[in-house]
Amino acid sequence: MREVNASEVAGNSKFGRFHLMVFMWCLFAITFDGFDIAMYGVGVPLLMQEWKLTPVEAGGIASYSLFGMMVGALIFAPLADKLGRKKVLAICI
């Protein structure tokens, strides 16, 4: 049986166009995955002022978004097992 040393394989490989495309697609997915939470953090002071929200109400909105993510994970995880992870990731993005 042949042994493969992962650090040796990675050290000897060249960074090509394929690797750049994989990196860019992963960056795209990660960026837009966390965008909603980041924008809530930026916009919550303005929402509190404009809509006259209390800190408890603003915290509730953040909690509801996390609850929505949990529900989405419970729905899309089995769907990814049936349809394939790449298709479901594309649907979610």
Side-chain angles (χ1 to χ4, degrees):
M1 185 161 166
R2 190 177 130 204
E3 279 189 33
V4 176
N5 186 348
S7 58
E8 184 179 313
V9 171
N12 293 333
S13 64
K14 302 289 183 211
F15 189 82
R17 182 173 182 196
F18 172 75
H19 300 102
L20 179 63
M21 290 303 296
V22 169
F23 176 78
M24 294 306 289
W25 279 111
C26 289
L27 179 67
F28 178 78
I30 290 169
T31 300
F32 285 101
D33 182 47
F35 187 74
D36 54 348
I37 297 296
M39 287 300 101
Y40 177 76
V42 170
V44 75
L46 297 171
L47 288 174
M48 288 177 71
Q49 184 180 12
E50 184 72 25
W51 293 349
K52 297 178 183 26
L53 297 175
T54 66
V56 172
E57 292 169 330
I61 292 171
S63 297
Y64 302 149
S65 69
L66 294 174
F67 181 76
M69 285 185 216
M70 181 190 72
V71 171
L74 292 173
I75 291 170
F76 284 106
L79 193 62
D81 290 338
K82 290 181 182 176
L83 297 178
R85 302 201 186 283
K86 286 189 273 185
K87 288 181 183 177
V88 172
L89 179 63
I91 290 168
C92 290
I93 290 177

